[in-house]
């Protein structure tokens, strides 16, 4: 027997499980390489679609702003006043803790998803939600957010509910994975749906985790008094945007 024959016999054979594992890995790599061009094509198409939607929304926001300015000018020219529509969107912030909260108010705060101090949520304004806001008014500050506030909140402090977990909105795939069947495939879609209070507002707002804001820069004035009395609680209308900037 030669030396080469004896060394060949000493080499261990590859275990069956390892051989199958290598074959499966090789098959997966081949399948992935085969599917890569189609996947790349879909990603490019999706990016183009997202860009088109963002461009369309920007034009829509600009046109709405111009229309509002023109209506005010026309009314002034006719020596009249233009009264805009009632706001349909509110942003609500909890500004007081749990001490001395009545059971009914505690339930209202739970329904609004305001379980912690300095939590904030978007709310669609209607008869039912206005009744809830009045009940919880001593514990909340709320008002009508503008587009800049909605964008800053979602881009800076936006978290989504993915399989019951709080997940940062770091990419559009997170939004598409949960809200894609609702026609919301990117963060710009989400912002548009919230700001315009669209048909899918309920699902978009439920997807957003309550915002966890910081204490306001410079502090509150007096949280036990209403805003119109020099305090902080209650409806502050457009002044909510200033408060959010201080807390964001």
């Amino acid at each position: 027997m030669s030396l080469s024959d004896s060394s060949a016999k000493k080499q261990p054979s590859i275990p069956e499980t390892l051989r199958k594992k290598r074959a499966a890995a090789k098959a997966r790599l081949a399948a992935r390489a085969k599917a890569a061009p189609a996947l790349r094509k879909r990603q490019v198409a999706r990016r183009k679609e997202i860009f088109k939607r963002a461009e369309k929304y920007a034009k829509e926001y600009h046109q709405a702003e111009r229309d509002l300015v023109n209506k005010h000018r026309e009314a002034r020219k006719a020596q009249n006043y233009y009264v805009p529509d009632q706001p349909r969107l509110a942003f609500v912030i909890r500004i007081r803790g749990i001490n001395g909260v009545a059971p009914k108010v505690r339930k209202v705060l739970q329904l609004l998803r305001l379980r912690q101090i300095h939590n904030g949520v978007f709310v669609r304004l209607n008869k039912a939600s206005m009744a809830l806001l009045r009940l919880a008014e001593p514990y909340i500050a709320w008002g009508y957010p503008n587009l800049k506030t909605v964008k800053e909140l979602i881009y800076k402090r936006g978290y989504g509910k993915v399989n019951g977990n709080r997940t940062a909105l770091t990419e559009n795939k997170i939004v598409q994975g949960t809200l894609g069947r609702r026609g919301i495939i990117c963060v710009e879609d989400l912002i548009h749906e919230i700001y315009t209070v669209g048909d899918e507002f309920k699902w978009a707002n439920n997807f957003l985790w309550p915002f966890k804001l910081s204490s306001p820069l410079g502090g509150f004035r007096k949280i036990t008094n209403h805003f119109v009395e020099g305090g902080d609680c209650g409806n502050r209308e457009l002044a909510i945007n200033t408060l959010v900037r201080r807390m964001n």
Side-chain angles (χ1 to χ4, degrees):
M1 183 184 290
S2 65
L3 186 64
S4 60
D5 292 340
S6 62
S7 63
K9 283 182 181 179
K10 286 179 183 177
Q11 288 178 356
S13 61
I14 299 173
E16 185 68 15
T17 54
L18 183 58
R19 189 175 61 78
K20 286 183 177 178
K21 190 176 179 181
R22 286 177 179 174
K26 192 175 180 181
R28 280 198 302 272
L29 284 172
R32 198 178 300 163
K34 187 178 179 181
L39 179 64
R40 174 71 179 166
K41 194 174 181 181
R42 284 199 303 271
Q43 287 175 341
V44 170
R46 186 168 67 240
R47 276 202 297 269
K48 284 182 179 177
E49 175 64 21
I50 288 170
F51 181 79
K52 283 180 183 176
R53 290 190 182 195
E55 199 174 34
K56 185 184 78 172
Y57 296 149
K59 288 179 181 176
E60 182 183 323
Y61 299 143
H62 180 71
Q63 188 58 45
E65 193 175 339
R66 294 304 308 160
D67 289 345
L68 185 63
V69 170
N70 290 335
K71 285 174 182 176
H72 277 290
R73 283 177 179 166
E74 288 170 8
R76 199 181 307 119
K77 193 180 291 183
Q79 296 184 346
N80 208 335
Y81 294 97
Y82 173 71
V83 181
D85 296 335
Q86 285 291 318
R88 296 190 299 158
L89 177 69
F91 187 69
V92 186
I93 305 169
R94 181 168 178 169
I95 60 172
R96 289 175 68 180
I98 60 172
N99 288 349
V101 182
K104 185 180 282 188
V105 176
R106 188 185 298 122
K107 184 64 179 176
V108 169
L109 291 172
Q110 286 178 4
L111 289 173
L112 292 172
R113 302 190 298 161
L114 298 173
R115 295 175 179 271
Q116 294 176 321
I117 192 169
H118 298 160
N119 272 12
V121 292
F122 292 110
V123 174
R124 187 207 307 258
L125 290 178
N126 52 35
K127 188 177 178 181
S129 62
M130 287 294 289
L132 294 179
L133 293 175
R134 285 196 194 97
L135 278 171
E137 201 157 54
Y139 297 87
I140 58 175
W142 64 282
Y144 314 130
N146 56 25
L147 178 62
K148 184 180 179 184
T149 298
V150 175
K151 278 189 174 183
E152 285 180 353
L153 281 168
I154 293 177
Y155 274 121
K156 185 175 179 180
R157 293 189 183 262
Y159 283 78
K161 193 188 296 179
V162 181
N163 298 325
N165 297 319
R166 184 172 181 258
T167 307
L169 301 181
T170 53
E171 54 183 349
N172 291 319
K173 282 193 286 187
I174 296 171
V175 177
Q176 187 177 16
T178 307
L179 297 173
R181 61 183 180 277
R182 303 281 171 189
I184 301 172
I185 63 170
C186 61
V187 177
E188 281 297 328
D189 281 347
L190 185 62
I191 291 169
H192 182 263
E193 196 65 31
I194 293 292
Y195 180 64
T196 60
V197 192
D199 296 334
E200 306 297 338
F201 175 85
K202 175 184 172 182
W203 304 101
N205 195 34
N206 189 55
F207 167 73
L208 283 173
W209 202 276
F211 297 93
K212 297 188 176 187
L213 303 174
S214 305
S215 298
L217 187 66
F220 287 115
R221 293 180 296 182
K222 193 171 184 181
I223 58 174
T224 53
N225 281 13
H226 198 283
F227 180 71
V228 297
E229 298 169 347
D232 290 294
C233 67
N235 184 9
R236 54 178 64 208
E237 298 185 358
L238 296 177
I240 193 69
N241 298 295
T242 307
L243 178 63
V244 170
R245 303 238 190 319
R246 288 166 53 209
M247 298 181 76
N248 196 0

